[in-house]
Every structure is written in structure tokens, then in C-alpha cells.
């Protein structure tokens, strides 16, 4: 019986720990996705009912090019 208890204690000591780095990647990724999605949404055409609303101060203005990726480089 003592041998079984000792084996069980060793197995519990070698059990995998909770992956904090893995969880941190998911949390940071979620925050980045929400931030980038919010900026993209505010810079897109306004949905019905939002045409007269003003852009929040923290959202940067992104200007669209007429033909992105076509033609000669501008610089």
C-alpha cells in the first residue's frame, strides 16, 4: 500500500502545470483583435443610424487610396 501511495504522490508532483504563457497569448490577442476591429469599424462606412455620429478622439483617421497596390510607387 505504501508503494502505491508513493507512486501516486510522485505522479501528482510531475503533473503538468497551468500554462500561464498560453493564457497570456490568448488575452493579449483578444485585446489586439478588439482594438484593431474597433478602428476598422470606425473607419469604414457608417452603418444605418450612425451616419451623423462623430468619430471618437482615440480612433485614428485612415485615408483610402483610389487604387491601392496599382501603378507606380508614390515615393
Amino acid at each position: 500500500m505504501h508503494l502505491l501511495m508513493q507512486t501516486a504522490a510522485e505522479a501528482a508532483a510531475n503533473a503538468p502545470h497551468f500554462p500561464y504563457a498560453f493564457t497570456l497569448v490568448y488575452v493579449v490577442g483578444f485585446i489586439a483583435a478588439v482594438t484593431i476591429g474597433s478602428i476598422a469599424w470606425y473607419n469604414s462606412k457608417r452603418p444605418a443610424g450612425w451616419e451623423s455620429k462623430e468619430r471618437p478622439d482615440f480612433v485614428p483617421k485612415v485615408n483610402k487610396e483610389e487604387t491601392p497596390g496599382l501603378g507606380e510607387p508614390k515615393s
Side-chain angles (χ1 to χ4, degrees):
M1 183 70 173
H2 179 66
L3 181 61
L4 292 175
M5 298 279 287
Q6 186 178 7
T7 305
E10 288 177 12
N14 294 331
H17 62 281
F18 188 72
Y20 293 109
F22 187 71
T23 305
L24 181 65
V25 167
Y26 272 106
V27 169
V28 170
F30 177 77
I31 292 170
V34 169
T35 303
I36 293 168
S38 296
I39 291 171
W41 183 79
Y42 278 113
N43 281 314
S44 67
K45 184 180 177 195
R46 301 279 192 254
W50 285 80
E51 293 90 354
S52 63
K53 303 295 182 203
E54 292 196 22
R55 179 184 313 274
D57 294 335
F58 62 89
V59 177
K61 176 69 175 159
V62 177
N63 296 324
K64 290 195 235 179
E65 295 180 17
E66 288 183 25
T67 55
L70 299 175
E72 296 294 321
K74 295 183 178 181
S75 57

